[in-house]
Amino acid sequence: MSAISESDLLSRVPDRLFIGGEWVESTSGRSIEVVDPSTGLVIKTIADASIADGARAMDAAVAAQDSWAATAPRVRGEILRRAFDLLQERAEDFALLMTLEMGKPLAESRGEVTYGGEFLRWFSEEAVRIGGHYGVNPEGTGRMFVTRFPVGPSFLITPWNFPLAMATRKIAPAIAAGCTAVVKPAELTPLTTLYFAKLLEESGLPKGVLNIITTSTSGEVSAPIIADPRLRKLSFTGSTPVGVRLLKQAADNVLRTSMELGGNAPFLVFEDADLDAAVDGAMIAKFRNIGQACTAANRFIVHESIAEEFAERVTARVSALTIGRGTEVGVSIGPLINAGAVAKAKTLVDDAVARGATVLTGGAPVGRDGTFFAPTVIIGVTPGSDILHEEIFGPVLSITTFTDEADAVAKANDTQYGLVSYAFTRDLARGLRLIDSIQTGMMGLNVGVVSNAAAPFGGVKQSGLGREGGTVGIDEYLETKYVLAPHTVA
Ligand code: NAP
């Protein structure tokens, strides 16, 4: 259990909008009630931004842009480094807050504080390494320079499933590159971002560099910001359908975009795999974040000769998982985010069963307060089942089989998504072939989790555009300028 009381912590979280360095009331006259999904109770009421508030936030970001871009990279980096240090001091606050508003077990929230914090440290280091290029043109008549400059005011939209890390993965590179930003967290989990803005304020971030709007009318408030000709960049993490809609809006303003969208990760287990490692990998790839991760393994595709043994072993582990409120000791499965998520998991399981699958454990909502779904294993999932094509976003491990490597690859690639894949095999040559043949932006080879601030995170196909983190993460917030200067000037 955390040492901080829930009510003390919640009383420290701001309940207003953060615009131009001030905590301000919304002009909408409305408010948002934030609910703990493990109890269904309201834990905090916060401001609900209007279109006018969005415009105010945009004005503040635009006003701060020039001076922020002119601020020394070292200074920008040191603010991020202070934020990293402060986050370590307040790690328990942030962990508890995420558990309260999103439901994940406290141990996983602590893991997210570590992961989310690493983006602050990584980009504090990257801020001073924004490079360029110098050379003589091939004709030998002049010097060619390539320099980088901040894209400009950016709009950052984040989802509810990783309330801290999805924010720092965008905010840290934007700040490092010299961009100001308006941030819109998800309505379901806005508290972590508000609390983080307070931390950045204390870290010395100048007024207006970061502005936070929380709103229950995302579409209405966001559209004018995206259409504002002063905006230069849209970075979105969320579902593919919303990403597609935002890309269409962004096209009208010819915005730079980064899109971190949905996934449908295949998890391949070959006949030569280390089954202990595959089962360990499956547990983390499927049940981390209660299955509510874009990187969650969605389709377990197992060689037909070992599918039953794999299913037995994972079922034994899954049946032993403890369900409960994320703050309780020993809990590994918290609630799903809301009743809609529970209904979706149930519908997908029922559809698979109707088409021939068998439930080995779980398969239904849990009868208690909050929005819980029993951790589930189903086997014998047949082609055409909805669960093979839709993001489950819940604790349902669905197993289907393959006959040979070509069949495994064809099944893995049979999706419009391409975020991440997992493959377990002891055959090095096969592992290398899979790297080339599986159509995803990331792959875990004999491992069930790949996220790392030092790595380029992102997908291909309808899983998105661009990469966050790694040495390329800052590029999303930088423009390139080429200059030609003749050797001789008349
Ligand atoms: P979502 O419904 O697409 O929402 C994501 C964000 O977009 C939220 O802040 C949401 O605000 C906002 N939004 C929704 N409609 C909008 C509109 N018309 N204009 C502007 N903003 C709008 O996704 P979610 O349910 O929060 O998150 C789950 C999805 O995110 C899954 O598909 C998951 O795979 C994906 N995801 C991807 C990654 C990745 O890195 N690839 C990481 C995490 C999650 P409201 O909350 O107010 O609706």
Side-chain angles (χ1 to χ4, degrees), residues 270-277 424-431 446:
F270 286 87
E271 61 277 25
D272 61 3
D274 173 344
L275 260 199
D276 290 334
F424 282 74
T425 177
R426 283 196 175 100
D427 181 340
L428 177 62
R430 170 153 49 209
N446 296 313

Side-chain angles (χ1 to χ4, degrees), residues 62-390:
V62 170
Q65 178 59 57
D66 285 351
S67 63
W68 186 238
T71 301
R74 178 67 77 197
V75 173
R76 302 199 299 254
E78 281 173 356
I79 291 169
L80 285 173
R81 178 63 208 211
R82 272 198 295 283
F84 171 77
D85 291 338
L86 270 182
L87 184 65
Q88 308 314 303
E89 284 171 26
R90 291 182 203 161
E92 282 300 294
D93 286 22
F94 277 93
L96 179 58
L97 190 55
M98 280 192 277
T99 292
L100 292 180
E101 67 174 342
M102 185 270 163
K104 71 182 79 183
L106 208 42
E108 290 196 30
S109 292
R110 290 185 179 119
E112 184 175 342
V113 174
T114 303
Y115 174 52
E118 282 304 329
F119 290 101
L120 301 172
R121 177 154 65 176
W122 178 264
F123 286 107
S124 76
E125 294 156 352
E126 291 296 282
V128 292
R129 311 211 194 294
I130 298 168
H133 179 74
Y134 166 81
V136 173
N137 64 357
E139 298 75 18
T141 55
R143 298 170 177 82
M144 302 171 87
F145 303 88
V146 178
T147 64
R148 314 299 305 279
F149 62 95
V151 170
S154 302
F155 187 28
L156 316 179
I157 303 179
T158 57
W160 52 263
N161 61 343
F162 291 99
L164 180 68
M166 297 302 97
T168 56
R169 210 163 75 175
K170 297 185 189 307
I171 292 170
I175 287 177
C179 295
T180 61
V182 175
V183 182
K184 196 212 77 61
E187 180 190 357
L188 294 167
T189 60
L191 303 182
T192 304
T193 308
L194 292 170
Y195 199 47
F196 180 65
K198 199 170 149 185
L199 183 151
L200 278 175
E201 204 183 359
E202 288 175 54
S203 306
L205 193 70
K207 290 179 188 301
V209 172
L210 190 80
N211 306 277
I212 314 283
I213 49 169
T214 51
T215 181
S216 66
T217 51
S218 294
E220 264 177 50
V221 171
S222 300
I225 297 176
I226 297 169
D228 189 319
R230 300 170 301 171
L231 188 75
R232 294 310 329 135
K233 164 90 193 179
L234 171 64
S235 178
F236 170 77
T237 298
S239 60
T240 296
V242 173
V244 169
R245 191 178 317 159
L246 295 179
L247 277 169
K248 288 179 181 164
Q249 293 176 24
D252 286 337
N253 203 1
V254 194
L255 292 178
R256 286 274 300 272
T257 59
S258 302
M259 292 280 147
E260 298 289 349
L261 308 178
N264 181 4
F267 187 109
L268 304 176
V269 187
F270 286 87
E271 61 277 25
D272 61 3
D274 173 344
L275 260 199
D276 290 334
V279 170
D280 286 347
M283 294 305 290
I284 189 159
K286 181 71 251 181
F287 295 101
R288 189 171 69 104
N289 226 37
I290 319 140
Q292 301 168 116
C294 51
T295 51
N298 214 55
R299 296 169 293 148
F300 287 79
I301 307 171
V302 184
H303 190 264
E304 57 188 3
S305 66
I306 55 163
E308 273 189 27
E309 186 182 356
F310 176 78
E312 263 172 41
R313 291 220 215 166
V314 287
T315 302
R317 293 274 294 271
V318 172
S319 316
L321 292 173
T322 307
I323 303 168
R325 191 164 190 243
T327 50
E328 291 161 14
V329 177
V331 162
S332 45
I333 297 288
L336 293 185
I337 190 67
N338 57 21
V342 173
K344 182 176 183 192
K346 177 80 175 110
T347 304
L348 288 175
V349 170
D350 289 351
D351 172 74
V353 169
R355 295 172 194 259
T358 304
V359 175
L360 298 181
T361 185
V366 177
R368 56 176 286 169
D369 286 344
T371 42
F372 291 86
F373 194 86
T376 298
V377 180
I378 55 177
I379 192 167
V381 174
T382 55
S385 300
D386 291 343
I387 206 161
L388 297 177
H389 302 288
E390 289 185 31

Side-chain angles (χ1 to χ4, degrees), residues 31-35 42-46 187-188 190:
S31 54
I32 296 173
E33 291 187 331
V34 182
V35 169
V42 174
I43 52 173
K44 186 140 184 130
T45 302
I46 61 163
E187 180 190 357
L188 294 167

